Amino acid sequence: MLSRLADNLYWHGRYLERAEDLARLINVNANLNLDLPSGLSAGWLPLVRITGSAPLFKQLHDDHGERQVVRFLLSDERNPGSLRATLEFARENLRSARDLLPRELWEQMNALYLKGQEELSGPLSRRRRHEFLHQLILDCQQIAGTLLGTMSQDHAYDFILIGRYLERADMITRILEVRGYDLLPDTSEDLGPFESIQWMSVLKSLTGYQMYRRHVRTRVSGNDVLNFLLRDEQFPRSVMFCLRALEALLLELPGDDDQALRVVTRLQRQVHECELSGRRGSALAELMDQLQVELAAIDESIRQTWFGAGT
Amino acid sequence: MDLSDYRSDEFFDELIGPGGRPRAAARAAIKYLKGLDDDELAERKAACELAAMVAGITFRVYFEDTGVDRAMPFDLIPRVIALKEWQQIEAGLKQRVLALNRFIDDLYNDQQIIQDGVFPADLLEGSVNFREHCRGISPPLGIWAHICGSDLVRDGDGTVYVLEDNLRIPSGVSYMLENRQVMKRVFPELFEDSGIQPVDDYCSQLYDTLASLSPRPVDYPGVVVLTPGMYNSAYFEHAYLAQQMGVALVEGRDLLVDDNDEVWMRTIAGLSRVDVIYRRIDDDFLDPEAFRKDSVLGVPGLMRAWRAGKVALANAPGAGVADDKVVYAYVPEIIRYYLGEAPLIDNVPTYKCREPEEMAYVLDHLDELVVKPANESGGYGMLIGPRSTRKEQKQFARLIQADPRNYIAQPTLALSTCPTFVQGGVAPRHVDLRPFILSGLHTYVTNGGLTRVALKAGSLVVNSSQGGGSKDTWIVDTGGA
């Protein structure tokens, strides 16, 4: 297949995953803030940090209340990382490759984009916002389901999924980095109720709370949450799961340059072997930073191997 | 369907003959349609529209923010032509395209036709589509216009004429193919024993034509369709043809020309050799090294690769030299000159203003003629005599006298009509026909072509961009001699 189309589909996968993750983050953060006493509330700024757009946000706003942050993340035209822009990029990247894909996939993406443009063109009340973001997550899942259920598992399919898993792994590390930073030191098994709520919110932003409960233990502890979200091999929103999926997908692709594959297996080893206990604050941030550098290296080697033929 | 009040007296009607009787080839179709009551018809019409939408028979105005496709208006009463008549037209089209290809090849090489005084040298000098870069080239099989779409019209007495030849990048064939799919789905009964000739093999014929041009003797030549991209209004067709042929739809940036003058496309498995390009980009934008420097749609070095014989381009660059209204006026002579035969299909009678007596006639009859400049398209710069003012006629008289070479004139045509669904029933609407002629190792003519219909009463404008629609076109074998 053409490199250009592979490139577009890869980015479609990334943007659509990003849109879904953004929606999850905003809804979970809103819930968390309602549960925490105002003195302990993490507020909204962490979300700006997770999306890596803090410098731009600071240029535009002095205040970082809910209204400013949510508008910035959802619909601000000056923010190229807004949900609205992300949906547009997801659609644009799909459009040129329409003839490689099931028709329903394009139609669902187009419908989602149009809905996003309409809903995000004006201010959203909190209740409408929650409803809209919840539906958006479902719509993204519907698109993922259509892909899984109707598309031949050819290279076009592989590239969409590679984008999706790489983006997802990246988002998990960002959430852990920023959230880990905000959390109180993990002193013992005897967690303060509010810290427990914060770790729960980390799980919930990845829809991992219930699975954590079923597969780990009934109590929420910092180390266990970290371990679950980094290393669990069965939960689809853990870093290790994403890396295993990437490994399998990359093996499908043509060419004998296995540079991307090598970075993936190296990263798997790192995730497997890194020491987690007691990692909080800057030590956790440092680890997540390392993982993100490796994820960027995977992106770079994918780009060089498959998107840049002959250039 | 009620045809009891249907009248198209002043015009030749494609389906209904004088006295309201269906023409022989259309008899079965008319009988069937007449047997449907209003409810059934409404149901079929709705099914048709739905099928057209579902099939995505659309053309696209992507600058509209929504990106919603616009459906091509489609009329479900077919236009019917008897096989026997069609066979004559088909032979005429083959003859015409063969002669035109010889003509183009001659112009870029020996220019024998000019030396022999049949085609005037000054006409070539004034041609905007003549490409210096193509001098001395003879493409594979000596063919320049591999895909030609000639527009046919039928006059009041039923004679079929060629109105123009589109030798650059004619479009519309995807609508012809999709219209047939829709009709088969909506009127399966009609297709059972009606002797309607199939059109479905166009894409495999197109593929074979393209593959036959490959400069490399390989089993699976690298064939691609080159599109300007999805903002182009014909993008639906580009994607459709690529898909149906099972070849890659590429943009200029997907291709590169190496130092060895070979063309490659960038794929995830590395560079892949390209042998034949069905290009849907105008000459001007094809290669910024050779033509417009500011083109971002093309491929730098493509002309170099083509001149070196490393890649085939369909249609060949410069083929448009014969797609010129003044050249058109000479096609009957061109056929006689190269083939030694009389033309099987006539041109619409055409006056060449460069001939003094013909110009005198044109100037005297400006109020009844259509005057056309040589190189405009889409109806620009024309004078439609019967609808013009004295002032416009005077202005055109000055234009013609200042540059006679650049103008031709034709009588206003009484285009034939075809019964068409309109608000409140069925009424005659003017139609034309665009068959497609493929030239490679073999020559192939579509069974029929795309019938375009002017949906407004009395209008002669059939272009889809101006509200025209289309109809399925049936070539019907009525049996017998």
Side-chain angles (χ1 to χ4, degrees):
Chain A
M1 78 182 288
L2 286 174
S3 296
R4 172 173 54 88
L5 300 183
D7 193 356
N8 290 354
L9 289 173
Y10 167 77
W11 277 104
H12 161 73
R14 289 202 74 149
Y15 281 122
L16 195 65
E17 177 68 25
R18 195 174 291 178
E20 183 181 337
D21 293 346
L22 255 174
R24 289 175 189 281
L25 272 174
I26 292 169
N27 267 356
V28 169
N29 204 61
N31 267 324
L32 174 65
N33 281 333
L34 292 179
D35 285 344
L36 292 176
S38 55
L40 271 177
S41 166
W44 287 87
L45 208 51
L47 298 199
V48 175
R49 299 222 304 273
I50 289 173
T51 58
S53 50
L56 176 64
F57 184 79
K58 277 178 191 141
Q59 264 177 40
L60 299 173
H61 297 282
D62 298 325
D63 209 349
H64 43 78
E66 176 172 356
R67 204 167 55 83
Q68 288 84 2
V69 171
V70 170
R71 199 178 149 265
F72 177 78
L73 291 177
L74 287 184
S75 59
D76 194 332
E77 278 167 14
R78 295 167 298 184
N79 176 15
S82 73
L83 180 65
R84 191 175 173 177
T86 303
L87 286 174
E88 186 176 342
F89 294 145
R91 171 182 181 261
E92 280 300 296
N93 277 290
L94 197 59
R95 190 156 84 181
S96 60
R98 272 174 75 173
D99 55 322
L100 301 176
L101 307 166
R103 190 187 168 86
E104 290 80 3
L105 196 70
W106 162 252
E107 285 173 357
Q108 286 168 6
M109 181 67 240
N110 206 29
L112 176 58
Y113 159 79
L114 291 171
K115 191 152 68 175
Q117 294 297 301
E118 195 188 318
E119 291 281 342
L120 298 175
S121 61
L124 280 171
S125 70
R126 268 190 192 174
R127 232 181 55 209
R128 276 264 303 289
R129 183 183 82 208
H130 178 86
E131 203 38 53
F132 166 69
L133 293 176
H134 180 67
Q135 186 57 46
L136 184 131
I137 293 166
L138 294 180
D139 289 344
C140 289
Q141 288 296 309
Q142 187 191 19
I143 293 175
T146 301
L147 190 72
L148 181 69
T150 63
M151 184 161 175
S152 295
Q153 303 200 359
D154 55 10
H155 293 321
Y157 176 91
D158 295 338
F159 278 106
I160 296 177
L161 259 61
I162 287 170
R164 178 197 293 173
Y165 284 116
L166 197 57
E167 179 71 23
R168 187 179 294 173
D170 188 56
M171 196 60 121
I172 298 166
T173 64
R174 285 161 182 271
I175 290 169
L176 288 175
E177 177 180 355
V178 174
R179 279 299 186 218
Y181 208 79
D182 291 335
L183 289 166
L184 306 163
D186 184 16
T187 43
S188 67
E189 292 280 303
D190 183 26
L191 289 169
F194 298 127
E195 193 185 344
S196 164
I197 288 176
Q198 289 207 22
W199 279 116
M200 276 161 61
S201 88
V202 171
L203 286 169
K204 281 180 178 166
S205 46
L206 295 159
T207 330
Y209 180 61
Q210 212 187 331
M211 291 301 131
Y212 174 88
R213 282 247 126 124
R214 271 184 57 202
H215 294 288
V216 185
R217 51 194 289 176
T218 48
R219 296 186 65 176
V220 175
S221 98
N223 273 353
D224 289 342
V225 172
L226 272 179
N227 196 46
F228 180 70
L229 291 179
L230 285 178
R231 291 174 180 157
D232 192 276
E233 303 218 348
Q234 292 169 331
F235 179 58
R237 288 177 184 273
S238 83
V239 171
M240 187 55 82
F241 185 96
C242 294
L243 292 176
R244 292 264 191 258
L246 280 173
E247 182 185 357
L249 289 160
L250 289 172
L251 279 169
E252 295 290 315
L253 295 182
D256 30 52
D257 181 359
D258 54 357
Q259 208 202 330
L261 202 58
R262 282 207 304 274
V263 188
V264 170
T265 43
R266 187 169 72 210
L267 188 50
Q268 285 176 1
R269 209 165 51 236
Q270 275 183 33
V271 170
H272 208 66
E273 290 168 3
C274 64
E275 178 59 46
L276 292 180
S277 71
R279 273 214 198 240
R280 294 294 174 271
S282 55
L284 182 59
E286 197 185 316
L287 174 62
M288 293 304 131
D289 219 44
Q290 280 170 28
L291 302 185
Q292 280 162 35
V293 168
E294 294 284 358
L295 289 167
I298 298 173
D299 170 81
E300 176 62 21
S301 50
I302 289 173
R303 209 166 58 75
Q304 278 181 5
T305 311
W306 291 290
F307 304 158
T311 48
Chain B
M1 186 174 86
D2 183 12
L3 282 172
S4 51
D5 294 333
Y6 185 86
R7 290 284 177 277
S8 184
D9 297 334
E10 324 148 55
F11 304 102
F12 182 97
D13 193 87
E14 296 288 339
L15 299 191
I16 309 293
R21 301 235 324 267
R23 295 186 188 280
R27 218 169 279 152
I30 295 286
K31 188 174 169 219
Y32 175 82
L33 289 168
K34 271 182 166 171
L36 299 176
D37 64 30
D38 286 354
D39 287 347
E40 281 170 311
L41 269 176
E43 207 175 284
R44 302 296 172 102
K45 268 179 76 176
C48 242
E49 274 153 28
L50 185 68
M53 275 313 285
V54 169
I57 308 174
T58 52
F59 58 120
R60 194 160 297 160
V61 188
Y62 254 120
F63 293 105
E64 286 173 7
D65 210 26
T66 56
V68 170
D69 297 348
R70 189 185 295 169
M72 171 94 163
F74 172 65
D75 185 73
L76 79 164
I77 303 176
R79 183 247 194 94
V80 184
I81 302 172
L83 179 64
K84 238 183 105 209
E85 184 185 17
W86 182 251
Q87 283 165 341
Q88 288 163 11
I89 295 173
E90 189 180 335
L93 290 169
K94 284 182 174 172
Q95 176 197 48
R96 190 171 176 101
V97 171
L98 179 63
L100 282 169
N101 269 308
R102 296 257 180 99
F103 172 66
I104 301 168
D105 202 48
D106 188 20
L107 286 189
Y108 287 115
N109 289 284
D110 302 338
Q111 302 196 338
Q112 201 65 45
I113 193 171
I114 294 175
Q115 289 175 41
D116 289 341
V118 176
F119 189 80
D122 64 298
L123 283 187
L124 189 60
E125 282 154 24
S127 165
V128 295
N129 292 316
F130 184 79
R131 301 271 174 254
E132 260 323 307
H133 287 87
C134 301
R135 285 300 292 269
I137 303 276
S138 196
L141 311 167
I143 298 169
W144 293 72
H146 312 93
I147 298 108
C148 171
S150 291
D151 290 342
L152 302 178
V153 294
R154 206 197 280 272
D155 198 2
D157 62 2
T159 314
V160 169
Y161 296 101
V162 176
L163 181 63
E164 63 180 56
D165 304 290
N166 297 286
L167 301 166
R168 281 174 282 184
I169 42 175
S171 62
V173 77
S174 57
Y175 301 117
M176 174 192 88
L177 296 168
E178 278 296 310
N179 286 350
R180 175 60 56 88
Q181 291 303 319
V182 170
M183 287 295 274
K184 284 208 277 201
R185 217 173 307 165
V186 179
F187 293 117
E189 315 87 305
L190 255 175
F191 284 83
E192 270 160 18
D193 338 88
S194 309
I196 301 164
Q197 305 296 300
V199 295
D200 305 348
D201 59 339
Y202 178 79
C203 290
S204 65
Q205 294 283 353
L206 177 62
Y207 181 84
D208 290 350
T209 300
L210 293 171
S212 74
L213 308 174
S214 172
R216 280 195 309 161
V218 288
D219 285 346
Y220 297 100
V223 178
V224 298
V225 176
L226 175 61
T227 174
M230 60 195 163
Y231 293 100
N232 188 280
S233 63
Y235 182 73
F236 164 77
E237 176 155 305
H238 307 161
Y240 180 94
L241 293 176
Q243 221 172 339
Q244 296 290 313
M245 288 193 288
V247 306
L249 177 66
V250 304
E251 296 181 14
R253 55 194 158 132
D254 298 320
L255 301 181
L256 67 91
V257 180
D258 67 10
D259 294 340
N260 201 21
D261 295 339
E262 287 166 359
V263 182
W264 302 84
M265 68 173 158
R266 306 170 209 267
T267 78
I268 56 168
L271 293 177
S272 164
R273 179 78 187 267
V274 173
D275 299 297
V276 184
I277 301 175
Y278 178 21
R279 50 97 173 203
R280 298 292 299 250
I281 295 182
D282 283 322
D283 283 359
D284 276 345
F285 296 96
L286 209 49
D287 177 358
E289 280 181 15
F291 305 119
R292 282 181 59 156
K293 306 275 174 281
D294 59 339
S295 170
V296 290
L297 301 174
V299 186
L302 193 55
M303 282 300 287
R304 183 159 45 87
W306 179 71
R307 290 180 57 102
K310 299 285 180 69
V311 72
L313 296 175
N315 289 347
V321 66
D323 187 340
D324 169 320
K325 294 189 173 62
V326 180
V327 170
Y328 163 85
Y330 283 86
V331 172
E333 278 98 320
I334 287 171
I335 292 173
R336 283 187 204 98
Y337 177 77
Y338 290 104
L339 307 180
E341 299 168 0
L344 298 172
I345 314 177
D346 276 327
N347 270 5
V348 173
T350 302
Y351 303 97
K352 304 162 188 138
C353 295
R354 68 186 305 282
E355 310 281 340
E357 308 106 78
E358 296 187 26
M359 179 164 86
Y361 178 87
V362 171
L363 291 175
D364 278 351
H365 296 83
L366 280 175
D367 57 337
E368 54 192 67
L369 296 171
V370 177
V371 182
K372 298 174 175 176
N375 289 305
E376 299 277 357
S377 60
Y380 290 102
M382 283 172 37
L383 175 80
I384 302 188
R387 284 189 221 153
S388 62
T389 61
R390 298 286 302 168
K391 198 177 147 208
E392 284 164 339
Q393 290 165 25
K394 278 199 185 126
Q395 185 197 340
F396 260 80
R398 278 197 302 275
L399 285 171
I400 294 168
Q401 282 162 326
D403 185 10
R405 179 257 176 248
N406 198 39
Y407 289 91
I408 58 160
Q410 293 167 336
T412 45
L413 290 173
L415 290 196
S416 62
T417 58
C418 189
T420 301
F421 276 109
V422 296
Q423 207 73 41
V426 178
R429 290 290 182 268
H430 293 295
V431 292
D432 78 351
L433 177 64
R434 176 176 290 182
F436 294 84
I437 304 101
L438 300 177
S439 307
L441 263 185
H442 308 282
T443 309
Y444 167 87
V445 181
T446 48
N447 272 320
L450 178 69
T451 289
R452 296 184 299 176
V453 53
L455 294 173
K456 274 183 236 148
S459 170
L460 296 170
V461 181
V462 295
N463 292 45
S464 54
S465 54
Q466 302 192 42
S470 70
K471 283 170 169 292
D472 194 14
T473 309
W474 293 358
I475 304 304
V476 171
D477 185 358
T478 47

